[in-house]
Amino acid sequence: MKKLLLLCALWASLPAMPQLKDVYGYLYCHMSRRGEWTAFALSRDGEEWHDLNQGNEVYDTRSLSGIEGGARDAYITRASGGKGFVMVTTDMCVAKSRKWSNYGINLLRSKDLIHWESVTFDFRKGPGIFCDPDSSDVYCDYGKIRRVWAPQVIWDENYRWPDGKRGGYFVYYSLLNDREDKYDRVFYSYADRSFTRLTKPRVLVDWGYATIDADINYVEADGKYHMMIKKEGGQRGIFTTVSENLAGPWPLPDDRDYVDFEGNKQCEGASAFRLAGDSTWRVGYVEYSSHPTKYRICKADKFLRNFHSPEDIKGVADPQHGSFLPLSKKEYQRLERYWNKKK
């Protein structure tokens, strides 16, 4: 009886994350290297991929990116309860602005991976854009924000809203206020179930130097959250850190365990995923020292550690910063049929 109660308590403590039972294939959702839009590629085995829509945009980027009309760093996952999908992108268009600055992110939602709606958050506008405008602020002047980069999202069943409702999307991203910050830090907000309301930013990681491109996954092997993150201070590269809770604390990474096989080449944009029936992990990342930029996938053990065996992604013409999603047969074939008709 005690063992049963212990198992029940452990089960209750696990994050309620949507899981797909019958995986038929995989979606690679990514920024295109040809332009600042979101592209899709499909794979049956997670090894060999093929582009949809010839690598062109899979939604009207200009209309769904409300600040600059560009979308970078696409991250996709299933919506709470497993019905539908949500995506977050960096609202940014360097081709238009001619500078490496931006001011907000896009929250997108879809029922079928084909038709999308979005809400854009321009952080320069300050407290009024958030659903908790009377809470404390991390900045005196939001108008000096110059970078809001690489948002990602994970469902948090245990989050409680002020009205007592439970569950929220933990949206995390890096911020730089060029007057109030010395370097980029990782922040987080919560979005509601509708994926249209967002709380004010709160600091998630501050290690005394710039950090961007965080990727958080719940690892069943040890029952903890693992973050892969790009360090731009100290020893640069993609490192890992582990926490009991999404909101931390997140300790300094283990400098012995990182993506080390690229030598002096620079890497960023990590995104971890697993293949069906495999307890180990795959990690996609951008190696941007080469010309053209490379998108690589390496392997890791079941604890999302001990990285090895890197290879260039196969079959994608213009891969860049992105993410991976297991698909059912119905979802996979629906995407194939829709984009094949568009040719």
Side-chain angles (χ1 to χ4, degrees):
M1 185 64 178
K2 288 183 178 179
K3 185 177 181 180
L4 177 61
L5 290 173
L6 179 62
L7 288 172
C8 289
L10 176 62
W11 179 260
S13 68
L14 296 178
M17 301 171 70
Q19 300 289 334
L20 184 64
K21 293 181 180 179
D22 298 314
V23 176
Y24 182 79
Y26 304 88
L27 171 67
Y28 170 43
C29 168
H30 65 98
M31 172 190 163
S32 170
R33 200 170 59 208
R34 282 190 289 125
E36 290 159 295
W37 64 72
T38 300
F40 284 172
L42 291 179
S43 173
R44 285 297 312 279
D45 59 7
E47 301 284 346
E48 300 285 343
W49 301 82
H50 62 275
D51 290 320
L52 294 180
N53 196 30
Q54 299 177 320
N56 294 314
E57 63 181 3
V58 292
Y59 60 80
D60 186 346
T61 309
R62 289 188 179 182
S63 66
L64 297 187
S65 300
I67 305 171
E68 296 187 20
R72 303 175 68 95
D73 317 323
Y75 186 88
I76 193 168
T77 189
R78 292 186 179 271
S80 63
K83 295 181 179 180
F85 307 88
V86 295
M87 185 195 306
V88 283
T89 64
T90 305
D91 191 306
M92 185 174 179
C93 188
V94 178
K96 177 181 178 180
S97 68
R98 303 296 179 184
K99 56 186 178 181
W100 285 94
S101 296
N102 82 302
Y103 311 105
I105 60 176
N106 304 302
L107 274 56
L108 300 95
R109 57 203 181 278
S110 173
K111 294 180 180 179
D112 58 8
L113 293 170
I114 295 169
H115 304 93
W116 292 88
E117 300 176 306
S118 76
V119 176
T120 298
F121 289 87
D122 186 340
F123 282 51
R124 293 172 300 178
K125 295 181 179 179
I129 70 168
F130 302 107
C131 61
D132 56 344
D134 296 327
S135 64
S136 59
D137 292 290
V138 292
Y139 293 127
C140 296
D141 185 358
Y142 285 81
K144 301 303 180 183
I145 287 176
R146 290 295 176 268
R147 285 208 284 266
V148 193
W149 279 3
Q152 295 199 181
V153 58
I154 184 171
W155 177 251
D156 182 359
E157 182 67 29
N158 296 317
Y159 181 70
R160 287 193 178 275
W161 295 87
D163 62 4
K165 291 182 179 179
R166 184 174 173 178
Y169 293 99
F170 186 86
V171 182
Y172 53 102
Y173 44 88
S174 63
L175 277 179
L176 178 73
N177 182 313
D178 64 6
R179 183 163 295 180
E180 300 179 44
D181 288 328
K182 294 181 180 179
Y183 43 81
D184 305 74
R185 296 177 291 172
V186 180
F187 289 70
Y188 71 94
S189 299
Y190 274 97
D192 66 354
R193 286 180 184 269
S194 73
F195 213 54
T196 60
R197 300 167 68 240
L198 195 67
T199 63
K200 288 181 181 178
R202 296 284 178 264
V203 178
L204 184 63
V205 172
D206 186 350
W207 294 329
Y209 48 75
T211 49
I212 64 171
D213 292 356
D215 175 57
I216 301 174
N217 293 275
Y218 180 76
V219 175
E220 294 173 354
D222 62 7
K224 297 178 181 179
Y225 292 99
H226 289 235
M227 177 192 292
M228 301 196 70
I229 190 167
K230 181 190 181 187
K231 289 171 49 179
E232 295 199 313
Q235 185 177 352
R236 298 179 66 184
I238 298 174
F239 289 78
T240 64
T241 177
V242 180
S243 177
E244 301 280 350
N245 304 294
L246 277 172
W250 291 95
L252 286 166
D254 182 350
D255 283 347
R256 298 165 298 177
D257 189 34
Y258 68 105
V259 176
D260 65 348
F261 28 72
E262 299 295 351
N264 293 325
K265 296 178 180 178
Q266 297 301 312
C267 303
E268 63 184 10
S271 183
F273 66 104
R274 289 190 299 175
L275 300 180
D278 190 340
S279 64
T280 65
W281 292 80
R282 305 293 190 273
V283 179
Y285 62 93
V286 182
E287 187 270 280
Y288 62 94
S289 295
S290 298
H291 300 285
T293 295
K294 292 183 178 182
Y295 193 87
R296 311 265 278 160
I297 298 178
C298 68
K299 297 179 181 180
D301 64 20
K302 67 178 182 179
F303 296 102
L304 196 46
R305 293 187 179 280
N306 301 313
F307 308 103
H308 62 94
S309 306
E311 293 184 347
D312 292 349
I313 196 169
K314 300 172 184 176
V316 182
D318 299 289
Q320 240 284 356
H321 193 150
S323 55
F324 300 86
L325 180 72
L327 298 177
S328 68
K329 184 175 182 179
K330 181 179 179 180
E331 293 161 350
Y332 188 103
Q333 293 182 341
R334 181 171 60 217
L335 282 169
E336 285 275 43
R337 285 194 300 267
Y338 180 82
W339 289 112
N340 283 338
K341 288 180 180 178
K342 292 285 185 178
K343 288 182 179 179

